[in-house]
Amino acid sequence: MVQAPKGTKDCLPQDSYKFQYIESLMRKHAALAGYREVRTPVFEHTELFLRGVGDTTDIVQKEMYTFTDKGGRSITLKPEGTAGAVRALIEGKLYSQAQPVKMYYINNPIFRYENPQHGRLREHHQFGMECFGAKEPSADAELISTLLRLLAELGLDDLTVNINSIGCPKCRPVYHQKLREYLAGRMDQLCDNCRERFDRNPLRVLDCKEPGCKRVVKGAPIILDSLCEECADHFEGLKRLLDAAHVSYQVDPFIVRGLDYYTKTVFEIIMHGQREGLALCGGGRYDGLVEQLDGPALPAVGFGLGIERVLLELETRGIAMPEPAQYQVFAANIAPQDFEDAFRLVLALRDAGIRADCDHTGRNLRAQFKYANKLGIRVMAIVGGEEKERGNVRLRDMQSGQESEIPAQDARDNIEKMLRG
Ligand code: HAM
C-alpha cells in the first residue's frame, strides 16, 4: 500500500472539527484587530526565499523542497509564510493603500525537509499575521496581545511570550564584533556548525542546542547592551505597552530566530511539556525585508503559529474542543417503499438548516436504529407502516426515549422544536 510521505499527516473527517474550531478562533481574533486574509501560492520562485529568508539559514541551506519545473524554472514549496506575503504585497501594490496594511494567512501549508519527530513535520500549517507600514512598537504589542488572547480563548491561558530585540543594521554589527571577540577564545568548545557560523552569522551560535555551545553562550555578551538608541527606545516602548495590556512576557536575550530578516523585536512562545521546548509560535519585526525584495522601504512585523503544534498542546493538556454532531436527525424507512418519503423529509430538514440523513445502504429498520444510536442521533423520524396510512410519521427523542405520532406535514416544525428543547 502507498503510504503518506514521511513527516506528513492526514486530517481525517472525524478530527477536522478540531482544526475548524481552532481556525474559527484564529479568524475571529484576526478580524477583531482588522487583519484580512491573504492567500498566496503554495510554491514560489526559489529566488524569493534565497533573498528573503537568507542563504545562511538552515531552512534555505538544508530544508527547502526545490525542483525545476517543466519550463526550467527553479521552484520551491513555501518553507515559511512571510516572504510570499511580502511578495504579494509588493506585486499587488498594497503599499500605496492606507497604512498599516494588515493581513493574515491561515491553513498555510509550509514545507521543510526536517527530521520528522513528535511535533516536527515536513508539511505543517501556519496561521500568521503580518502588519506592514507601522514602525511603532504598538504594532508589535498589538500582535503579541492578539496572539495571547487567541491562545487564552483556546484554553491556553498560562503561556508566556519570550521577547528580545536583535537590533538593526546600524547596531547589530557592533554586537557581532563583541560576540566574535568573546567566542574567538572559546572556539574549541563550539560545535562544527557554530565554528562555521562564527564568520557568517555569529548570532546563530546563541541559538545552538549543543550542550558545549550552550555552556559557552551562558557567559556571552547580550545584544540588549549594544542596541542603538532607536532600537533601545523601541524595545522599551514595547515592554511598556505589554505591561499596560497585562501581557505575560519575559525578556530572553538569547532569542535570535532561525530566519535572517528580523530587526528589532523578536519573540517566541514555547510549548509546555514538550521534551525539546518546541516553539508554538515565533515572530518579530522585519523592517528591511520589503525593500530587500524590491518594494519600497516599509517597516513590518508579524508572527507564525503552527496549527498542528496548537493542536498537540491542547491534546497534551486534555483540552477538548466542541465537537458538532454529524447528524441531528435520522429519517428511517420501515420498508423499502417508504424510502422516498424519508428522503424527502431529509431534504426538507436540510432546507431548515438541520443536519439530517436517511439510509443509503438498504438496511432494515433494526439496523437503521443501531446505526443511528452509534452516531448519537438526537431525533429519529420513522416513516412508513400504519402511521403512514394515517398520513403521519412517528418521532422518537433518542435521549429520553419518548415517542409521538404527528401529521407528516408537521414533521419538520416538530423536529425543530424537539431539537431546540
Ligand atoms: P518559524 O518560527 O520558523 O517562523 O515558524 C513558526 C511556527 O511554525 C513555529 O513556532 C512552529 O509552531 C511552526 N513550525 C515550524 N516548523 C515546524 C515543523 N517542522 N513542524 C510543525 N510545526 C512547525 C516563521 O516561519 C516566520 N515566517 C514567522 C513570522 C511571520 N515572522 C514574521 N512573520
Side-chain angles (χ1 to χ4, degrees):
M1 188 213 133
V2 181
Q3 291 184 333
K6 203 171 156 189
T8 67
K9 249 188 168 168
D10 295 315
C11 167
L12 297 173
Q14 67 266 26
D15 294 320
S16 56
Y17 75 92
K18 299 177 191 167
F19 287 91
Q20 286 165 359
Y21 175 69
I22 294 171
E23 285 167 16
S24 70
L25 291 186
M26 288 171 169
R27 287 185 191 280
K28 172 185 147 179
H29 283 270
L32 283 172
Y35 285 72
R36 294 182 298 178
E37 186 177 355
V38 63
R39 298 185 192 197
T40 63
V42 167
F43 58 85
E44 297 273 1
H45 291 291
T46 302
E47 187 191 346
L48 178 71
F49 304 114
L50 298 182
R51 288 172 55 194
V53 175
D55 53 8
T56 64
T57 60
D58 277 359
I59 292 181
V60 166
Q61 285 191 340
K62 303 183 201 155
E63 296 172 359
M64 293 206 304
Y65 279 86
T66 298
F67 60 96
T68 306
D69 74 4
K70 289 190 168 51
R73 302 169 199 92
S74 180
I75 294 292
T76 294
L77 303 183
K78 265 188 287 197
E80 61 97 53
T82 307
V86 171
R87 188 211 34 78
L89 170 111
I90 299 170
E91 212 166 322
K93 297 194 174 47
L94 305 191
Y95 48 78
S96 56
Q97 296 182 352
Q99 287 167 21
V101 171
K102 296 175 170 185
M103 55 175 87
Y104 75 90
Y105 40 83
I106 194 160
N107 210 4
N108 202 8
I110 304 289
F111 304 88
R112 295 183 185 175
Y113 195 81
E114 294 196 82
N115 213 1
Q117 45 189 283
H118 195 58
R120 183 166 291 134
L121 297 162
R122 288 191 175 160
E123 184 200 32
H124 72 275
H125 298 81
Q126 278 187 24
F127 165 65
M129 291 174 68
E130 314 282 1
C131 176
F132 296 95
K135 64 176 182 4
E136 299 299 323
S138 57
D140 316 36
E142 176 186 77
L143 279 168
I144 292 173
S145 60
T146 301
L147 171 63
L148 286 176
R149 279 160 180 248
L150 158 67
L151 293 170
E153 192 171 348
L154 282 165
L156 306 172
D157 53 4
D158 57 352
L159 294 170
T160 296
V161 57
N162 298 318
I163 61 169
N164 189 21
S165 175
I166 56 167
C168 66
K170 267 189 288 168
C171 53
R172 202 177 307 150
V174 178
Y175 176 67
H176 277 176
Q177 194 47 37
K178 283 191 197 165
L179 186 59
R180 280 201 191 95
E181 278 164 22
Y182 171 81
L183 295 174
R186 297 165 175 84
M187 292 295 268
D188 54 330
Q189 299 169 54
L190 297 180
C191 71
D192 291 347
N193 265 342
C194 284
R195 265 182 245 140
E196 234 174 76
R197 288 164 175 154
F198 178 84
D199 285 321
R200 301 183 72 183
N201 198 345
L203 263 190
R204 194 118 307 132
V205 176
L206 301 181
D207 206 23
C208 184
K209 304 280 179 281
E210 291 296 322
C213 302
K214 273 181 149 175
R215 263 196 307 278
V216 171
V217 162
K218 266 195 189 141
I222 62 168
I223 191 158
L224 292 174
D225 295 334
S226 299
L227 295 182
C228 63
E229 201 178 328
E230 186 190 318
C231 289
D233 285 351
H234 193 275
F235 196 52
E236 285 310 309
L238 171 63
K239 288 192 288 182
R240 253 198 321 277
L241 285 166
L242 293 180
D243 285 334
H246 304 294
V247 166
S248 163
Y249 71 89
Q250 238 174 6
V251 176
D252 176 351
F254 295 115
I255 299 179
V256 293
R257 310 272 304 121
L259 304 116
D260 275 353
Y261 46 64
Y262 292 109
T263 52
K264 297 193 169 85
T265 312
V266 285
F267 58 91
E268 274 176 3
I269 295 179
I270 302 299
M271 295 167 78
H272 281 198
Q274 300 299 321
R275 266 171 295 138
E276 280 180 275
L278 285 178
L280 193 61
C281 173
R285 189 161 269 285
Y286 47 99
D287 288 345
L289 184 59
V290 180
E291 200 175 8
Q292 201 178 308
L293 293 174
D294 302 329
L298 200 66
V301 54
F303 69 77
L305 174 64
I307 298 183
E308 286 84 358
R309 290 200 184 163
V310 172
L311 185 63
L312 184 62
E313 184 73 7
L314 292 172
E315 284 178 344
T316 309
R317 295 177 182 219
I319 297 175
M321 284 155 273
E323 181 177 0
Q326 189 177 2
Y327 304 112
Q328 298 158 285
V329 180
F330 189 85
N333 54 297
I334 294 182
Q337 65 270 24
D338 303 318
F339 180 80
E340 279 170 29
D341 291 315
F343 188 56
R344 260 202 308 276
L345 175 58
V346 163
L347 296 182
L349 290 170
R350 289 181 187 170
D351 282 341
I354 294 169
R355 275 166 276 139
D357 208 2
C358 49
D359 176 48
H360 300 285
T361 60
R363 293 180 176 95
N364 64 27
L365 188 61
R366 221 175 99 95
Q368 289 179 63
F369 262 89
K370 221 169 136 186
Y371 171 76
N373 264 324
K374 205 164 162 182
L375 261 63
I377 297 278
R378 189 55 223 292
V379 176
M380 282 285 270
I382 301 123
V383 180
E386 289 170 10
E387 289 90 339
K388 184 169 158 182
E389 279 164 28
R390 292 193 285 269
N392 292 344
V393 292
R394 180 166 290 282
L395 299 182
R396 182 181 172 86
D397 184 319
M398 298 293 275
Q399 271 170 10
S400 66
Q402 260 180 7
E403 286 198 5
S404 55
E405 184 178 332
I406 47 121
Q409 73 265 22
D410 298 339
R412 186 173 112 173
D413 290 351
N414 275 271
I415 290 173
E416 275 186 308
K417 253 187 239 148
M418 287 168 78
L419 290 173
R420 271 200 301 272

